[in-house]
Amino acid sequence: MSLRTAESAALNRPGKVYLVGAGPGDPELLTLRGRRRLAAADVVLHDYLASEQLLRHAPLHAERVCFGSSHRGKTWTQTQINERMVSEALSGKTVVRLKGGDPSIFGRLAEEVEACRQAGLAFEVVPGVTTATAAGAYSGVTLTDRDKASCVTFITGQEQPRKPEDQTLDFGALAATPGTLVLYMAAANAAGWSGRLLEAGKPAQTPVAIIRRCSLPDQTTRLTTLGEIAGIADQEGLRPPLIAIIGEVARETAVSAWFTHRPLFGQTVVVTRPADQSEAMADRLRDAGARVLLQPTITIGPPDSWAAVDVAIDRLGKADFVVFSSRNGVEAFLSRMRHRGIDARGFGAARIAAIGPATAASLAEWRLRADLAPSEYRAEALAAELAPQVSGKQVLLVRASRGREVLAEELAKAGAIVEQVVAYHSSDIVSADDEVLTELAAGRVDWITATSSAIARAAARLLGEAIEQGRGVGKPARFAAISPLTAEALAAAGQHAEAIAEVYTADGVVDAILAATGGGTG
């Protein structure tokens, strides 16, 4: 509970309700204001259409309540939703009511605002990207066009059944509208609304674009006509969430269906990096069109004791070389230096070596330049480049709690006085996410990333059985490795790397996947 909420509860003051538009599906379409309101929430009450990725913006203490859907067990009535929203706010909590799309477009906003008003609660409405405009943008259909459509009309496919007849939709007027019609909730009654538009005089050959799961990695777009909709619904079924765009603008995708033409669209990739290091890679994959599942296979944490690291930091000035064998080592060691109030001057005259480009890039983020970084990302290459320079020299090797000993051994053979210090602890995840295992077993995963040998071994152990089940249905997931060394670790664990990065970085892994799928470098 936040301090503000605790104060409100102590003073018996009500909290506040924020009615926030979550957008059509893509979590990046949330507004900045919506994200800020989520970050202050004590309770998030959300529709199933609101991406669960959005819940990461809420504090860890915030309670998360999903109102379900017609195909996911219990669904809440609007009365139940209103009652929960009001009761939470009356107890002094900050409530975010996260609603798919825009709250004011077929989102029953008026009923929830009225519930707040009657309870005497303060509220705020945060608009969102509505599905109609997103569907147009993501399918390549422009809702308005200076030649074809000077207006656009939003229509619900499911009217309130008890509404007086003189307040129901006038299909005659809609059929005569000289612009674009956009039908929300169009799946359940396709034969009904299409039939009434046809009866009212709308030509059967009027183009219709059907967009399902707008803005999501499995979005589908189908171009048809008003006269064919009922037959499609009868023979194939139309499943929500679905929206229909009706009018001349839907005849062809004038600005191209850029969204579905991205190189990894339709591909599912499991990213196996530690949870706090996965987003940059995941974002690049998503930008290329992939559906991304996050499944950390190892965790990175502090050493059992900082004592040895502190001793190494205190003796930095005596070292001739400081060698970092991973990005994690850089972050852990330099964060500890900063914690102790020691800056880059603590390195004294020591030269700095990095095992590869990612490690060198991490040093650069700390305003430190690697004096030496081999072109080949493996301990043998770094040892070979250091060997001629280290005889009789003091070498500090910053490393993980586990890993190969080859670097220390080779440097010692070259005459170096090697001191090793464990800067972080690496351990395997012992159980995988149920969704990831299900998707792997069903053959619905295309790629699994492996960005280190430790991750490769852990991924093979954690996911191997599900991968084999996917093989049984004819589509096992393929591995993409960050380097030949990581590919060797996969092979030793019984898995084959179908793609190997040429540049040994996370971006290099993405490039390798793109190349393997014929998508270039994206």
Short mmCIF file of all heavy atoms in Angstrom, two decimals, residues 1 28 42 51 79 117 139 169-170 187 204 209 225 239 255 316 346 365 367 432 448 521:
data_model
loop_
_atom_site.label_atom_id
_atom_site.label_comp_id
_atom_site.label_asym_id
_atom_site.label_seq_id
_atom_site.Cartn_x
_atom_site.Cartn_y
_atom_site.Cartn_z
N MET A 1 0.84 -1.19 0.00
CA MET A 1 0.00 0.00 0.00
C MET A 1 0.88 1.24 0.00
O MET A 1 1.84 1.33 0.74
CB MET A 1 -0.92 -0.01 1.22
CG MET A 1 -1.87 1.18 1.28
SD MET A 1 -2.96 1.15 2.75
CE MET A 1 -4.01 -0.23 2.39
N GLU A 28 2.29 -1.32 -26.16
CA GLU A 28 2.99 -0.07 -26.38
C GLU A 28 2.05 1.06 -26.82
O GLU A 28 2.47 2.21 -26.94
CB GLU A 28 4.09 -0.26 -27.43
CG GLU A 28 5.25 -1.11 -26.92
CD GLU A 28 6.47 -1.05 -27.81
OE1 GLU A 28 6.30 -0.73 -29.02
OE2 GLU A 28 7.58 -1.28 -27.31
N ASP A 42 -3.24 0.93 -6.43
CA ASP A 42 -3.28 -0.09 -5.38
C ASP A 42 -4.07 -1.31 -5.84
O ASP A 42 -3.82 -2.43 -5.39
CB ASP A 42 -3.94 0.47 -4.11
CG ASP A 42 -3.15 1.62 -3.54
OD1 ASP A 42 -1.96 1.43 -3.22
OD2 ASP A 42 -3.70 2.72 -3.42
N SER A 51 -3.86 -6.07 -22.33
CA SER A 51 -2.66 -6.91 -22.29
C SER A 51 -2.10 -7.03 -20.88
O SER A 51 -1.97 -6.04 -20.16
CB SER A 51 -1.58 -6.31 -23.20
OG SER A 51 -0.35 -6.97 -23.00
N THR A 79 -22.73 -4.84 -12.94
CA THR A 79 -23.06 -4.48 -11.56
C THR A 79 -21.96 -4.93 -10.60
O THR A 79 -21.55 -4.18 -9.70
CB THR A 79 -24.40 -5.12 -11.15
OG1 THR A 79 -25.44 -4.61 -11.99
CG2 THR A 79 -24.73 -4.80 -9.70
N ARG A 117 -19.98 8.56 -9.34
CA ARG A 117 -20.68 9.80 -8.96
C ARG A 117 -21.65 9.54 -7.81
O ARG A 117 -21.68 10.30 -6.83
CB ARG A 117 -21.42 10.37 -10.17
CG ARG A 117 -21.95 11.78 -9.97
CD ARG A 117 -22.88 12.18 -11.09
NE ARG A 117 -24.09 11.37 -11.11
CZ ARG A 117 -25.12 11.52 -10.28
NH1 ARG A 117 -25.08 12.45 -9.33
NH2 ARG A 117 -26.18 10.75 -10.37
N SER A 139 -4.05 -2.59 -40.43
CA SER A 139 -4.45 -3.44 -41.55
C SER A 139 -4.16 -2.78 -42.89
O SER A 139 -4.31 -3.41 -43.94
CB SER A 139 -5.93 -3.78 -41.48
OG SER A 139 -6.72 -2.60 -41.64
N LEU A 169 -30.57 1.40 -33.72
CA LEU A 169 -29.85 1.81 -34.92
C LEU A 169 -30.78 1.94 -36.11
O LEU A 169 -31.65 1.08 -36.35
CB LEU A 169 -28.75 0.80 -35.25
CG LEU A 169 -27.54 0.77 -34.31
CD1 LEU A 169 -26.65 -0.43 -34.63
CD2 LEU A 169 -26.74 2.06 -34.44
N ASP A 170 -30.60 3.01 -36.86
CA ASP A 170 -31.37 3.24 -38.09
C ASP A 170 -30.53 2.73 -39.26
O ASP A 170 -29.66 3.44 -39.78
CB ASP A 170 -31.66 4.73 -38.25
CG ASP A 170 -32.53 5.04 -39.45
OD1 ASP A 170 -32.63 4.18 -40.35
OD2 ASP A 170 -33.07 6.16 -39.52
N ALA A 187 -18.54 -9.95 -34.44
CA ALA A 187 -18.50 -11.39 -34.70
C ALA A 187 -19.82 -12.09 -34.42
O ALA A 187 -20.27 -12.93 -35.21
CB ALA A 187 -17.39 -12.02 -33.87
N ALA A 204 -24.46 -5.28 -52.15
CA ALA A 204 -23.84 -6.51 -51.68
C ALA A 204 -22.34 -6.53 -51.96
O ALA A 204 -21.58 -7.18 -51.25
CB ALA A 204 -24.51 -7.72 -52.35
N ALA A 209 -13.51 -5.13 -44.67
CA ALA A 209 -12.27 -5.69 -44.11
C ALA A 209 -12.59 -6.19 -42.70
O ALA A 209 -13.10 -5.43 -41.87
CB ALA A 209 -11.18 -4.63 -44.07
N THR A 225 -16.81 -8.98 -48.95
CA THR A 225 -17.86 -8.03 -49.30
C THR A 225 -19.03 -8.20 -48.33
O THR A 225 -19.15 -9.22 -47.64
CB THR A 225 -18.38 -8.25 -50.73
OG1 THR A 225 -19.00 -9.53 -50.82
CG2 THR A 225 -17.25 -8.14 -51.75
N ARG A 239 -14.76 -15.30 -34.76
CA ARG A 239 -14.52 -15.29 -33.31
C ARG A 239 -14.00 -13.94 -32.86
O ARG A 239 -13.17 -13.32 -33.52
CB ARG A 239 -13.51 -16.38 -32.94
CG ARG A 239 -14.04 -17.79 -33.16
CD ARG A 239 -13.04 -18.83 -32.72
NE ARG A 239 -11.82 -18.81 -33.54
CZ ARG A 239 -10.60 -18.57 -33.07
NH1 ARG A 239 -10.43 -18.35 -31.77
NH2 ARG A 239 -9.56 -18.57 -33.86
N VAL A 255 -2.28 1.89 -48.14
CA VAL A 255 -0.97 2.22 -47.57
C VAL A 255 -0.18 0.96 -47.22
O VAL A 255 0.82 1.03 -46.53
CB VAL A 255 -1.12 3.12 -46.32
CG1 VAL A 255 -1.71 4.45 -46.68
CG2 VAL A 255 -1.94 2.42 -45.25
N LEU A 316 42.55 -2.88 -6.42
CA LEU A 316 42.53 -2.60 -7.86
C LEU A 316 43.79 -1.89 -8.34
O LEU A 316 44.31 -2.15 -9.42
CB LEU A 316 41.30 -1.74 -8.22
CG LEU A 316 40.03 -2.46 -8.68
CD1 LEU A 316 38.96 -1.45 -9.00
CD2 LEU A 316 40.32 -3.34 -9.89
N GLY A 346 39.54 4.32 -9.34
CA GLY A 346 39.95 3.16 -8.56
C GLY A 346 40.73 2.14 -9.36
O GLY A 346 41.48 1.33 -8.80
N GLU A 365 29.13 1.91 -21.17
CA GLU A 365 28.02 2.55 -20.47
C GLU A 365 28.45 3.13 -19.13
O GLU A 365 27.82 4.05 -18.60
CB GLU A 365 26.88 1.54 -20.28
CG GLU A 365 26.19 1.14 -21.58
CD GLU A 365 25.23 -0.02 -21.40
OE1 GLU A 365 25.03 -0.44 -20.24
OE2 GLU A 365 24.70 -0.52 -22.42
N ARG A 367 31.36 4.53 -18.86
CA ARG A 367 32.40 5.48 -19.29
C ARG A 367 33.80 4.88 -19.16
O ARG A 367 34.77 5.58 -18.85
CB ARG A 367 32.32 6.80 -18.50
CG ARG A 367 30.99 7.51 -18.58
CD ARG A 367 30.71 8.00 -19.99
NE ARG A 367 29.54 8.87 -20.04
CZ ARG A 367 28.30 8.44 -20.31
NH1 ARG A 367 28.09 7.16 -20.52
NH2 ARG A 367 27.30 9.29 -20.36
N ALA A 432 9.41 -24.08 -15.51
CA ALA A 432 9.07 -23.19 -16.62
C ALA A 432 7.62 -22.73 -16.52
O ALA A 432 6.78 -23.35 -15.87
CB ALA A 432 9.30 -23.90 -17.95
N ILE A 448 13.99 -20.45 -30.03
CA ILE A 448 14.40 -20.26 -28.64
C ILE A 448 15.79 -19.63 -28.68
O ILE A 448 16.67 -20.12 -29.38
CB ILE A 448 14.46 -21.58 -27.86
CG1 ILE A 448 13.11 -22.30 -27.90
CG2 ILE A 448 14.87 -21.33 -26.41
CD1 ILE A 448 13.16 -23.72 -27.34
N THR A 521 18.24 -8.26 -41.95
CA THR A 521 18.68 -7.87 -40.61
C THR A 521 17.67 -6.99 -39.91
O THR A 521 17.89 -6.54 -38.80
CB THR A 521 20.04 -7.16 -40.66
OG1 THR A 521 19.94 -6.03 -41.53
CG2 THR A 521 21.11 -8.10 -41.14
#
